[in-house]
């Protein structure tokens, strides 16, 4: 079992664990590499999705007009996908910060749930605030 590293982002003044706590895995984002524009849309990275779609359409248009050398379109698409995989999680962290989340901790776990449990175990005051707000609703 391998341990993964996650950054924990908490929305300021938020106490709903489903909406106000986001864990972002460190390292290469394979889904961003494989499905880059769809991945960006899923994570509400609208500007990144738009850029990836425009770049993909541009590469396709240049290939269709035979303005690129053979295999250049595939190489450019691979470069864009690699960029998305390498920097996707960093761009996601930036977007979370822009939406009012703050980086609260770095935790490890075998998966997201284990990392979240570890975060809540390490901050019992925050965990009790979550439990207290859930019982009042």
């Amino acid at each position: 079992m391998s341990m993964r590293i996650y950054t924990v982002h908490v929305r300021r003044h938020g106490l709903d664990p489903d909406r106000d706590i986001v864990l972002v895995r460190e390292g290469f984002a394979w889904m961003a590499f494989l499905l880059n524009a769809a991945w960006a849309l899923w994570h509400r990275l609208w500007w990144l999705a738009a850029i990836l779609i425009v770049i993909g359409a541009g590469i396709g248009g240049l290939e269709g007009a035979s303005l690129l050398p053979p295999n250049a379109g595939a190489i450019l698409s691979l470069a864009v996908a690699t960029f998305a995989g390498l920097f996707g999680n960093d761009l996601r962290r930036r977007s979370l910060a822009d939406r009012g989340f703050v980086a609260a901790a770095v935790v490890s776990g075998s998966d997201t749930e284990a990392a979240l449990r570890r975060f809540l175990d390490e901050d019992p005051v925050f965990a009790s605030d979550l439990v207290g707000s859930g019982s009042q609703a």
Side-chain angles (χ1 to χ4, degrees):
M1 174 183 352
S2 66
M3 296 298 275
R4 297 181 176 109
I5 306 296
Y6 297 87
T7 54
V8 180
H9 303 267
V10 178
R11 188 186 320 259
R12 294 182 191 120
H13 311 294
L15 293 175
D16 182 352
D18 293 330
R19 290 188 322 222
D20 298 320
I21 301 174
V22 178
L23 276 70
V24 179
R25 186 174 172 203
E26 288 288 322
F28 193 81
W30 282 102
M31 292 310 290
F33 174 77
L34 297 172
L35 305 168
N36 46 56
W39 178 89
L41 288 170
W42 178 261
H43 291 293
R44 299 176 55 189
L45 301 171
W46 313 124
W47 54 269
L48 177 61
I51 290 169
L52 292 169
I53 290 168
V54 167
I55 290 173
I59 292 170
L62 291 172
E63 280 182 318
S66 300
L67 297 174
L68 291 177
N71 299 324
I75 292 169
L76 288 172
S77 295
L78 181 62
V80 169
T82 302
F83 172 84
L86 287 172
F87 299 106
N89 285 334
D90 294 329
L91 294 170
R92 188 171 169 216
R93 285 183 196 89
R94 174 68 185 253
S95 174
L96 288 169
D98 291 345
R99 290 187 282 154
F101 286 80
V102 293
V106 176
V107 294
S108 63
S110 57
D111 58 19
T112 307
E113 288 183 24
L116 179 58
R117 276 193 305 271
R118 179 167 286 180
F119 168 68
L120 294 175
D121 287 345
E122 290 177 2
D123 193 343
V125 173
F126 186 80
S128 68
D129 287 345
L130 285 174
V131 171
S133 70
S135 63
Q136 294 172 0

